[in-house]
Amino acid sequence: MSEKGKVEYDDAYNPLDPYVYNDNTFFKSGIDIDLNPKATLRLEYNNSDFDSRYYSTYGSNYFASTETLKLNSKYVFNQNNIAFIGVETKTEEYVGTGSVSDISYFAQNEFKVNVNTTLLAGFRIDDNDQFGSHVTYRFTANHISQQIPGLIFKASVGSGFRAPGLYELYNPTYGNANLTPETSFGYDLGFINYLSSNVTFGSTYFKSELEDLIGGDAPTYVYSVSYTHLRAHETRHDVVCRLLLEK
C-alpha cells in the first residue's frame, strides 16, 4: 500500500506558502498455521518506508524505513487456560544516521477462575542494541457481578518501556542525541454497567507515572526529557437512542 500527500501550513517567516510532501509505502503479510487442535502459529512481516520533504523555513527532510518480523503462538490448555508466546524483531533505519535494532520476547496467560472471573498476566523483554534490555509486565482482572446484571468490575497494573526513535535522536532540526528510554508505571480500578442495550455507565480511577517522557520542547522545538505524574478519575456514559419505524 502506498500513500502520498501534500500538507500546507502557516509559516510567518516564509511568504512562499510552505508545505511538506509525504510519501509513505507500507507492506504487510502473514500466515496462520494450525499445528494441532490446541496450538496455532502466526508469522507476520511488515515493512514501511516514510519520506518527508519540507519546503519551509523550519523542518528538515526525513527518509526512514522500518522492518518488523513477528512470530506468535497460541496454546489452549483447556477452556479456562490459554497461553500466548512470541518473539518480534524490529529494525529502524534513518538515512544519514545508520540503523537500530530491537528484539522482543513476550508471554501471556489468560486464566478463568470461574465463569465470572478472568485473570490475565503477561510480561515482555525488549533488547535494544542501543539502550540495552528492559522488562515490562501487565496484570488485569475482570469480574462479572452475579447480583447486578450487566455490571463488570475491572482492574489492571503494569509498566511500559519505549526507546527513542532515530528521528527523535538525530533529526537535524528536532533531534536530541541525549535522550534516554521512556518508562512508565500505572494502575486503574473501575467498573462498567450495561444498564440496557442502549445505555451504559462506567467509572474508572487511574494513576500513571512516566519517567524520561519524550516530548517536544516548544521554545526550541527540540525533543527533551521530563517527568510526568498523572492521577485522574474518569466517568463515562453512553446512551444510544434508536427510533424504530414500522410500516
Side-chain angles (χ1 to χ4, degrees):
M1 182 177 69
S2 178
E3 293 181 350
K4 296 183 179 181
K6 177 180 177 181
V7 181
E8 297 182 355
Y9 57 94
D10 293 330
D11 184 350
Y13 300 97
N14 189 343
L16 301 178
D17 297 326
Y19 64 90
V20 57
Y21 185 81
N22 295 323
D23 186 355
N24 306 330
T25 303
F26 308 92
F27 175 78
K28 180 178 180 179
S29 63
I31 182 173
D32 294 299
I33 303 173
D34 292 327
L35 301 178
N36 57 56
K38 291 189 174 184
T40 58
L41 196 68
R42 176 169 178 79
L43 180 63
E44 186 176 303
Y45 173 79
N46 297 284
N47 185 286
S48 62
D49 289 300
F50 182 80
D51 297 339
S52 184
R53 298 177 184 271
Y54 283 84
Y55 298 88
S56 65
T57 305
Y58 297 102
S60 57
N61 295 336
Y62 174 61
F63 307 103
S65 64
T66 302
E67 187 176 52
T68 304
L69 182 65
K70 182 185 296 186
L71 179 65
N72 294 329
S73 179
K74 174 184 176 182
Y75 189 84
V76 181
F77 292 98
N78 54 57
Q79 63 180 359
N80 296 323
N81 193 354
I82 304 175
F84 303 85
I85 60 173
V87 60
E88 177 181 355
T89 64
K90 178 180 179 182
T91 301
E92 181 183 5
E93 183 176 1
Y94 182 31
V95 175
T97 62
S99 63
V100 61
S101 297
D102 182 278
I103 183 168
S104 304
Y105 310 90
F106 49 91
Q108 178 178 293
N109 184 258
E110 180 180 308
F111 180 72
K112 290 187 177 181
V113 180
N114 51 48
V115 177
N116 301 309
T117 305
T118 302
L119 305 177
L120 187 147
F123 75 91
R124 181 183 179 99
I125 302 174
D126 288 283
D127 187 8
N128 185 282
D129 61 6
Q130 189 169 359
F131 295 101
S133 297
H134 297 263
V135 179
T136 55
Y137 60 88
R138 181 171 176 81
F139 302 99
T140 69
N142 286 274
H143 177 73
I144 301 174
S145 174
Q146 291 181 301
Q147 289 74 28
I148 304 177
L151 177 62
I152 301 175
F153 297 98
K154 56 181 182 176
S156 70
V157 60
S159 60
F161 162 82
R162 185 177 81 84
L166 293 179
Y167 179 83
E168 298 164 329
L169 289 167
Y170 303 119
N171 180 274
T173 304
Y174 305 100
N176 181 353
N178 296 318
L179 289 174
T180 57
E182 178 181 304
T183 58
S184 62
F185 169 79
Y187 62 85
D188 64 77
L189 179 67
F191 71 89
I192 184 169
N193 195 351
Y194 296 90
L195 300 176
S196 69
S197 60
N198 297 328
V199 181
T200 63
F201 174 79
S203 182
T204 303
Y205 172 84
F206 63 90
K207 178 181 179 181
S208 297
E209 297 178 358
L210 296 94
E211 190 171 353
D212 295 335
L213 176 66
I214 301 172
D217 183 356
T220 60
Y221 295 98
V222 176
Y223 281 91
S224 61
V225 175
S226 60
Y227 176 81
T228 300
H229 183 103
L230 175 64
R231 178 181 296 153
H233 178 267
E234 175 187 59
T235 300
R236 57 165 289 187
H237 64 275
D238 299 301
V239 179
V240 180
C241 297
R242 294 188 176 95
L243 177 62
L244 302 179
L245 299 179
E246 296 183 358
K247 295 182 179 181

